[in-house]
Amino acid sequence: VDFINCFFDKSFELATRDKLQDINFEGTHFNQKITMDIREFDSLNLSYTIFNCEFKLQAEQINGKEVNFTKAKFKQKVSFYRKTIDCRIYFEEACFENDLIFTEAKFNDVVNLNKVVFKGEAQFYGTKFNRAILTETNFENKANFSNAVFNDKAYFTNAVFEADTDFSSATFADEARFFNADFKGTAIFENAEFKAKADFKTDKNLTFGKDVNFSNTTFQDNAYFNNRVFEDFVDFTYAFFKMKADFMDTLF
C-alpha cells in the first residue's frame, strides 16, 4: 500500500484486521487527525513524514518487522503510552516539537533514537527497552527515564541533556554507554542499578552542569568517570561499587 508524498487535509483513518505487507507513507503530510488500527504488518514506512496533527496508533500491541519514522517531524504531542512494540522501530533524526510519551511502553526489539531532537518533554517512565540507541540525541527539555529497564545495551554516547534528567531507579542489565554525554541540568541516578559496565568517561572535559545524584546507586561492574568535571554538588552517598571505580582526572 503506497501513499508516498500525499497530503491529507482531513482526518485520516486506516484500520484492518488482516495482515498487510508493506505500508508506505514516505514524505506524506498529515494536517488533521490520523488514526491507525493495524493488527499486523511487515513494514510501516513513515520516514520524512510531517505530522501537523495528533498521531495515534490504536492497537495496544504492534506486530511487524519494522516501523520507520526516520527524519519524521511531529508538531503535536505523540503518545505510545503502554504500547508493546514487537518490531524494530527507527526514529533516526526525527524531531519532536511537543511532548513525547513512551510511559510504560515495552520495546521487544531495537529502538533507534539516534540524532533525534526532543524539543518538548521526553517521558520514558517505566519503559522497558531491549536495545536502545540514543547516540547524539538532543534533549532540549526534561527527560524522564525513571524506573526504566534496559535489558540490552543502552547507547547514550554524545547525547546532550539541556535540562533536568531523571534515571532514578532505572535498571541497566547490560553495558550503559554515556561516553561524552553532556548533562547541562540536574542529573538524577538515585537508586539506579548498573549490572554491567557503566561508562561516563569523556575526552572533552565535559561537565555535569548542576547537581548530580548517584546516592544508593549500585555498580555491579566497572564504573568510569574519567575526565569529568562536576560543577556543583554531587552525591554518592551509600553508592555501592562492586568492582573498579575510576575517577582519574576527574574534577569536583
Side-chain angles (χ1 to χ4, degrees):
V1 182
D2 286 323
F3 297 93
I4 300 174
N5 294 321
C6 290
F7 287 81
F8 292 93
D9 288 324
K10 295 184 179 180
S11 297
F12 175 81
E13 181 175 352
L14 177 62
T16 177
R17 295 187 179 277
D18 298 323
K19 180 178 178 179
L20 298 178
Q21 291 185 334
D22 298 332
I23 310 166
N24 193 352
F25 286 95
E26 183 179 348
T28 296
H29 288 63
F30 294 100
N31 294 323
Q32 294 294 330
K33 182 178 179 181
I34 171 174
T35 303
M36 291 188 183
D37 187 3
I38 307 171
R39 303 298 179 182
E40 193 172 355
F41 57 88
D42 283 340
S43 68
L44 174 59
N45 184 8
L46 290 152
S47 60
Y48 296 91
T49 299
I50 296 176
F51 298 91
N52 292 311
C53 57
E54 178 185 355
F55 172 65
K56 189 174 183 180
L57 287 171
Q58 291 285 92
E60 293 300 316
Q61 185 162 331
I62 302 170
N63 300 309
K65 293 181 180 178
E66 179 179 300
V67 179
N68 187 356
F69 288 100
T70 298
K71 293 189 177 180
K73 291 185 179 180
F74 299 88
K75 306 280 188 168
Q76 303 297 326
K77 183 184 294 186
V78 180
S79 177
F80 288 83
Y81 177 69
R82 287 187 173 176
K83 302 291 186 189
T84 298
I85 302 172
D86 282 324
C87 58
R88 300 182 301 274
I89 186 164
Y90 299 94
F91 291 95
E92 291 180 273
E93 298 185 57
C95 180
F96 294 89
E97 297 188 4
N98 209 311
D99 294 350
L100 171 67
I101 301 170
F102 272 116
T103 302
E104 296 183 6
K106 185 177 181 182
F107 296 96
N108 291 327
D109 208 320
V110 175
V111 54
N112 191 326
L113 293 151
N114 187 41
K115 296 184 179 179
V116 169
V117 176
F118 294 99
K119 295 187 177 182
E121 291 189 18
Q123 300 179 26
F124 292 93
Y125 172 85
T127 301
K128 291 181 172 61
F129 296 92
N130 190 17
R131 177 167 293 192
I133 303 172
L134 294 100
T135 302
E136 296 184 50
T137 301
N138 194 332
F139 298 88
E140 296 184 5
N141 212 312
K142 292 180 180 179
N144 184 359
F145 289 89
S146 60
N147 292 95
V149 177
F150 298 86
N151 289 313
D152 205 323
K153 290 180 174 63
Y155 300 91
F156 287 88
T157 303
N158 293 310
V160 179
F161 298 92
E162 301 277 355
D164 294 349
T165 307
D166 188 356
F167 283 91
S168 59
S169 299
T171 301
F172 297 86
D174 206 325
E175 182 180 358
R177 297 184 185 177
F178 288 89
F179 179 74
N180 278 337
D182 193 359
F183 296 89
K184 298 179 183 293
T186 299
I188 302 173
F189 287 87
E190 183 180 9
N191 293 312
E193 183 175 11
F194 294 88
K195 295 183 179 182
K197 184 172 75 172
D199 185 359
F200 288 87
K201 295 194 301 289
T202 175
D203 58 9
K204 301 178 181 179
N205 290 323
L206 290 172
T207 68
F208 283 92
K210 294 186 178 179
D211 290 359
V212 184
N213 189 346
F214 281 97
S215 63
N216 293 296
T217 299
T218 301
F219 298 90
Q220 298 283 357
D221 205 324
N222 297 335
Y224 299 92
F225 291 87
N226 309 70
N227 298 307
R228 281 285 175 180
V229 178
F230 292 91
E231 294 278 5
D232 214 318
F233 180 75
V234 56
D235 188 355
F236 280 96
T237 305
Y238 299 114
F240 177 65
F241 295 91
K242 187 173 182 179
M243 297 184 71
K244 182 178 181 179
D246 193 340
F247 289 88
M248 185 177 290
D249 296 321
T250 297
L251 177 62
F252 296 90

